Short mmCIF file of all heavy atoms in Angstrom, two decimals:
data_model
loop_
_atom_site.label_atom_id
_atom_site.label_comp_id
_atom_site.label_asym_id
_atom_site.label_seq_id
_atom_site.Cartn_x
_atom_site.Cartn_y
_atom_site.Cartn_z
N VAL A 171 -10.07 3.42 7.69
CA VAL A 171 -9.98 2.10 8.31
C VAL A 171 -9.03 1.21 7.39
O VAL A 171 -8.17 0.41 7.94
CB VAL A 171 -11.34 1.42 8.43
CG1 VAL A 171 -11.21 -0.01 8.89
CG2 VAL A 171 -12.21 2.25 9.39
N SER A 172 -9.19 1.35 6.15
CA SER A 172 -8.27 0.63 5.22
C SER A 172 -6.80 1.00 5.46
O SER A 172 -5.92 0.10 5.46
CB SER A 172 -8.68 0.94 3.73
OG SER A 172 -7.89 0.20 2.84
N ILE A 173 -6.57 2.27 5.70
CA ILE A 173 -5.20 2.75 5.97
C ILE A 173 -4.76 2.16 7.33
O ILE A 173 -3.63 1.68 7.46
CB ILE A 173 -5.10 4.30 5.98
CG1 ILE A 173 -5.31 4.86 4.55
CG2 ILE A 173 -3.79 4.77 6.54
CD1 ILE A 173 -5.47 6.37 4.51
N ALA A 174 -5.65 2.16 8.35
CA ALA A 174 -5.38 1.67 9.60
C ALA A 174 -5.02 0.14 9.55
O ALA A 174 -4.06 -0.33 10.19
CB ALA A 174 -6.46 1.86 10.60
N ARG A 175 -5.70 -0.62 8.71
CA ARG A 175 -5.50 -1.98 8.56
C ARG A 175 -4.11 -2.21 7.88
O ARG A 175 -3.32 -3.12 8.30
CB ARG A 175 -6.55 -2.68 7.69
CG ARG A 175 -6.40 -4.18 7.62
CD ARG A 175 -7.57 -4.74 6.73
NE ARG A 175 -7.58 -4.18 5.43
CZ ARG A 175 -8.48 -4.46 4.49
NH1 ARG A 175 -9.50 -5.28 4.81
NH2 ARG A 175 -8.44 -3.97 3.35
N ALA A 176 -3.68 -1.40 6.97
CA ALA A 176 -2.45 -1.56 6.32
C ALA A 176 -1.27 -1.24 7.27
O ALA A 176 -0.20 -1.78 7.12
CB ALA A 176 -2.36 -0.55 5.11
N LEU A 177 -1.58 -0.34 8.29
CA LEU A 177 -0.57 0.01 9.24
C LEU A 177 -0.57 -0.90 10.52
O LEU A 177 0.40 -0.84 11.29
CB LEU A 177 -0.82 1.46 9.75
CG LEU A 177 -0.70 2.55 8.71
CD1 LEU A 177 -1.30 3.90 9.17
CD2 LEU A 177 0.75 2.75 8.31
N ALA A 178 -1.53 -1.73 10.63
CA ALA A 178 -1.77 -2.55 11.88
C ALA A 178 -0.57 -3.30 12.34
O ALA A 178 -0.40 -3.43 13.59
CB ALA A 178 -3.03 -3.45 11.72
N ASN A 179 0.21 -3.79 11.47
CA ASN A 179 1.39 -4.59 11.87
C ASN A 179 2.72 -3.91 11.71
O ASN A 179 3.77 -4.57 11.70
CB ASN A 179 1.37 -5.91 10.99
CG ASN A 179 0.17 -6.77 11.22
OD1 ASN A 179 -0.33 -6.82 12.35
ND2 ASN A 179 -0.36 -7.46 10.22
N SER A 180 2.66 -2.54 11.69
CA SER A 180 3.86 -1.72 11.51
C SER A 180 4.73 -2.31 10.42
O SER A 180 5.87 -2.69 10.65
CB SER A 180 4.70 -1.72 12.87
OG SER A 180 3.87 -1.10 13.88
N PRO A 181 4.23 -2.28 9.21
CA PRO A 181 5.03 -2.88 8.06
C PRO A 181 6.24 -2.06 7.75
O PRO A 181 6.34 -0.90 8.09
CB PRO A 181 3.97 -2.88 6.92
CG PRO A 181 3.11 -1.68 7.24
CD PRO A 181 3.00 -1.69 8.76
N LYS A 182 7.15 -2.72 7.01
CA LYS A 182 8.32 -2.05 6.49
C LYS A 182 8.06 -1.38 5.15
O LYS A 182 8.80 -0.47 4.76
CB LYS A 182 9.47 -3.08 6.32
CG LYS A 182 9.90 -3.57 7.68
CD LYS A 182 10.87 -4.78 7.47
CE LYS A 182 11.26 -5.29 8.90
NZ LYS A 182 11.84 -6.64 8.88
N LEU A 183 7.04 -1.81 4.49
CA LEU A 183 6.66 -1.20 3.18
C LEU A 183 5.15 -1.01 3.10
O LEU A 183 4.39 -1.92 3.44
CB LEU A 183 7.04 -2.17 2.05
CG LEU A 183 6.63 -1.79 0.60
CD1 LEU A 183 7.32 -0.52 0.17
CD2 LEU A 183 6.87 -2.89 -0.37
N ILE A 184 4.73 0.23 2.71
CA ILE A 184 3.36 0.54 2.60
C ILE A 184 3.07 0.80 1.09
O ILE A 184 3.77 1.69 0.49
CB ILE A 184 2.90 1.81 3.41
CG1 ILE A 184 3.13 1.53 4.92
CG2 ILE A 184 1.43 2.11 3.17
CD1 ILE A 184 3.09 2.74 5.73
N LEU A 185 2.11 0.12 0.50
CA LEU A 185 1.74 0.31 -0.93
C LEU A 185 0.37 0.87 -0.96
O LEU A 185 -0.63 0.23 -0.32
CB LEU A 185 1.81 -0.98 -1.65
CG LEU A 185 3.15 -1.74 -1.66
CD1 LEU A 185 3.02 -3.10 -2.26
CD2 LEU A 185 4.23 -0.92 -2.46
N ALA A 186 0.12 1.92 -1.68
CA ALA A 186 -1.20 2.56 -1.74
C ALA A 186 -1.57 2.68 -3.22
O ALA A 186 -0.86 3.26 -4.01
CB ALA A 186 -1.23 3.95 -1.09
N ASP A 187 -2.76 2.10 -3.62
CA ASP A 187 -3.20 2.06 -4.97
C ASP A 187 -4.31 3.11 -5.17
O ASP A 187 -5.44 2.89 -4.71
CB ASP A 187 -3.70 0.64 -5.34
CG ASP A 187 -4.19 0.52 -6.73
OD1 ASP A 187 -3.77 1.33 -7.61
OD2 ASP A 187 -4.85 -0.47 -7.04
N GLU A 188 -3.97 4.16 -5.90
CA GLU A 188 -4.96 5.24 -6.21
C GLU A 188 -5.75 5.67 -5.02
O GLU A 188 -6.97 5.75 -5.02
CB GLU A 188 -5.94 4.69 -7.25
CG GLU A 188 -5.32 4.37 -8.62
CD GLU A 188 -4.92 5.53 -9.52
OE1 GLU A 188 -5.01 6.69 -9.03
OE2 GLU A 188 -4.53 5.27 -10.68
N PRO A 189 -5.07 6.02 -3.88
CA PRO A 189 -5.78 6.42 -2.67
C PRO A 189 -6.54 7.74 -2.73
O PRO A 189 -7.42 8.02 -1.85
CB PRO A 189 -4.71 6.48 -1.62
CG PRO A 189 -3.48 6.87 -2.39
CD PRO A 189 -3.60 6.16 -3.73
N THR A 190 -6.28 8.51 -3.79
CA THR A 190 -6.96 9.85 -3.86
C THR A 190 -7.82 10.00 -5.09
O THR A 190 -8.37 11.10 -5.31
CB THR A 190 -5.82 11.00 -3.89
OG1 THR A 190 -5.06 10.74 -5.03
CG2 THR A 190 -4.92 10.94 -2.67
N SER A 191 -8.11 8.95 -5.80
CA SER A 191 -8.73 9.12 -7.13
C SER A 191 -10.19 9.62 -7.01
O SER A 191 -10.56 10.35 -7.90
CB SER A 191 -8.78 7.80 -7.86
OG SER A 191 -9.43 6.80 -7.16
N SER A 192 -10.87 9.35 -5.91
CA SER A 192 -12.20 9.83 -5.77
C SER A 192 -12.32 10.97 -4.80
O SER A 192 -13.42 11.34 -4.36
CB SER A 192 -13.08 8.68 -5.32
OG SER A 192 -12.79 8.23 -4.10
N LEU A 193 -11.22 11.61 -4.41
CA LEU A 193 -11.23 12.68 -3.36
C LEU A 193 -11.09 14.07 -3.90
O LEU A 193 -10.39 14.30 -4.97
CB LEU A 193 -10.17 12.39 -2.38
CG LEU A 193 -10.07 11.08 -1.63
CD1 LEU A 193 -8.90 10.92 -0.72
CD2 LEU A 193 -11.41 10.82 -0.89
N ASP A 194 -11.63 15.05 -3.22
CA ASP A 194 -11.42 16.44 -3.59
C ASP A 194 -10.06 16.87 -3.09
O ASP A 194 -9.40 16.13 -2.42
CB ASP A 194 -12.54 17.37 -3.07
CG ASP A 194 -12.70 17.26 -1.52
OD1 ASP A 194 -11.70 17.01 -0.82
OD2 ASP A 194 -13.81 17.54 -0.95
N ASP A 195 -9.63 18.11 -3.43
CA ASP A 195 -8.30 18.57 -3.10
C ASP A 195 -7.97 18.56 -1.63
O ASP A 195 -6.97 18.13 -1.16
CB ASP A 195 -8.09 20.04 -3.56
CG ASP A 195 -8.02 20.06 -5.09
OD1 ASP A 195 -7.92 19.01 -5.70
OD2 ASP A 195 -8.03 21.14 -5.60
N GLN A 196 -8.96 18.90 -0.76
CA GLN A 196 -8.78 18.98 0.67
C GLN A 196 -8.59 17.60 1.29
O GLN A 196 -7.59 17.34 2.06
CB GLN A 196 -10.00 19.66 1.37
CG GLN A 196 -9.78 19.85 2.85
CD GLN A 196 -10.93 20.58 3.50
OE1 GLN A 196 -11.93 20.82 2.87
NE2 GLN A 196 -10.75 20.97 4.74
#
Side-chain angles (χ1 to χ4, degrees):
V171 174
S172 181
I173 292 171
R175 186 179 58 185
L177 296 166
N179 296 325
S180 297
K182 292 169 182 165
L183 174 65
I184 300 167
L185 301 172
D187 184 15
E188 299 283 8
T190 61
S191 60
S192 61
L193 301 179
D194 60 26
D195 289 352
Q196 185 178 7

